[in-house]
Amino acid sequence: MQQQISVITLGVTDLGRSRRFYVEGFGWTPVFENPEVHFYQMNGLVLGTFQKAALEADMNRTGLLRPGAFALAHNVPRQEDVTPLLERLVRAGGTLLRPADAPAHGGFRGYVADPDDHAWEIAWNPAWTIDAQGHVTFRL
Amino acid sequence: MQQQISVITLGVTDLGRSRRFYVEGFGWTPVFENPEVHFYQMNGLVLGTFQKAALEADMNRTGLLRPGAFALAHNVPRQEDVTPLLERLVRAGGTLLRPADAPAHGGFRGYVADPDDHAWEIAWNPAWTIDAQGHVTFRL
């Protein structure tokens, strides 16, 4: 089985508010938008923001809770890129969870929640490589 | 800003139970394992399973809830691959949420929850392309 994730879908309550975080905060551009779902073409996978009720109907499970027990990470090329991006995401509607600092395992990172409480780690990890297409490779 | 997700980290309560779902169910191989976190090299990003309490400490936020308002998807090359993979994931400790059927927008998909209630959609989507490296491209 291919070690492959095709889509990450985030349940959201207000697509426009979420769009502002991803477009103004991260500077990303949706590849598709309708009143129920927005898609972003990412590095070998797709990010979706989907009305939470529609996501619950699709997965046949109600009562999805927030904040969920997961985090997404966006790694940046330089340590000095971490804090400005956290600040930009807060200006675009995010909530700072952890100002950037150096974890015991190395690197530099902070956390911000998107407008629907979904956590994003913004990290500089000097060990892992990121190629021009954004493909990230694990290294010790 | 690169349209790039570096890591998806799932909070789990039992790393061994989670490992069984991903290794026996999906057939994936971890690239790194210690008593706190397991990493899998995916298609241009990394999947992590991380002790939930350690994830909470890292993001500086307690009280993460399940099931969270998100889903991950693994797309397969053929419609007939969907149901056997759902069945295999259930045998590896998953819980079926939705048996496979055809949604209004096309294709064929079902949902299974991993042992920590994280939802996976197993989908056949004839419009989107998946290359040999597992890189997935959005298409209408």
Side-chain angles (χ1 to χ4, degrees):
Chain A
M1 204 72 60
Q2 223 174 26
Q3 300 213 177
Q4 176 252 99
I5 296 171
S6 308
V7 194
I8 302 171
T9 303
L10 300 175
V12 307
T13 56
D14 180 331
L15 272 169
R17 184 181 67 170
S18 179
R19 186 185 194 284
R20 181 172 162 245
F21 179 83
Y22 291 100
V23 170
E24 294 181 21
F26 276 114
W28 297 342
T29 304
V31 66
F32 177 83
E33 301 178 57
N34 75 19
E36 195 168 64
V37 66
H38 293 178
F39 287 116
Y40 300 80
Q41 176 64 54
M42 308 302 292
N43 48 318
L45 77 165
V46 173
L47 173 67
T49 55
F50 196 18
Q51 294 283 2
K52 177 169 165 274
L55 176 60
E56 290 181 335
D58 201 57
M59 73 165 70
N60 194 35
R61 179 166 65 168
T62 56
L64 299 185
L65 300 170
R66 300 173 316 178
F70 75 105
L72 305 176
H74 175 82
N75 287 11
V76 292
R78 302 176 310 166
Q79 175 167 352
E80 57 265 39
D81 297 329
V82 173
T83 294
L85 179 53
L86 287 169
E87 290 170 350
R88 188 167 137 170
L89 290 165
V90 168
R91 286 196 302 274
T95 302
L96 190 67
L97 298 174
R98 174 181 206 125
D101 61 359
H105 55 267
F108 194 68
R109 59 88 178 87
Y111 280 90
V112 63
D114 88 354
D116 292 277
D117 296 330
H118 304 306
W120 280 91
E121 179 185 10
I122 306 302
W124 169 67
N125 180 335
W128 296 15
T129 60
I130 308 174
D131 73 13
Q133 285 74 47
H135 300 143
V136 175
T137 303
F138 177 91
R139 312 253 187 229
L140 274 186
Chain B
M1 205 72 61
Q2 222 173 27
Q3 301 213 177
Q4 177 252 99
I5 295 171
S6 308
V7 194
I8 302 171
T9 303
L10 300 175
V12 307
T13 56
D14 180 332
L15 272 170
R17 184 181 68 170
S18 179
R19 187 185 194 285
R20 180 172 163 247
F21 179 84
Y22 291 99
V23 171
E24 294 181 19
F26 275 115
W28 297 342
T29 303
V31 67
F32 177 82
E33 300 178 59
N34 75 18
E36 196 167 66
V37 65
H38 293 178
F39 287 116
Y40 300 80
Q41 176 64 55
M42 307 303 293
N43 49 319
L45 77 164
V46 174
L47 173 67
T49 55
F50 196 18
Q51 294 283 2
K52 178 170 165 274
L55 177 60
E56 290 181 334
D58 201 57
M59 72 165 70
N60 195 33
R61 180 166 65 168
T62 56
L64 300 185
L65 300 169
R66 301 171 317 179
F70 76 106
L72 304 177
H74 175 82
N75 287 11
V76 292
R78 302 175 310 166
Q79 177 167 350
E80 58 265 39
D81 297 329
V82 174
T83 294
L85 179 53
L86 287 169
E87 291 171 349
R88 189 167 136 170
L89 290 165
V90 168
R91 287 197 300 273
T95 302
L96 191 67
L97 298 173
R98 176 182 204 124
D101 61 359
H105 54 266
F108 194 68
R109 60 88 178 88
Y111 280 90
V112 63
D114 89 352
D116 292 277
D117 295 330
H118 304 306
W120 280 90
E121 179 186 10
I122 306 302
W124 169 68
N125 180 334
W128 296 15
T129 60
I130 309 174
D131 73 12
Q133 286 72 46
H135 301 143
V136 175
T137 303
F138 177 91
R139 313 251 187 232
L140 273 185

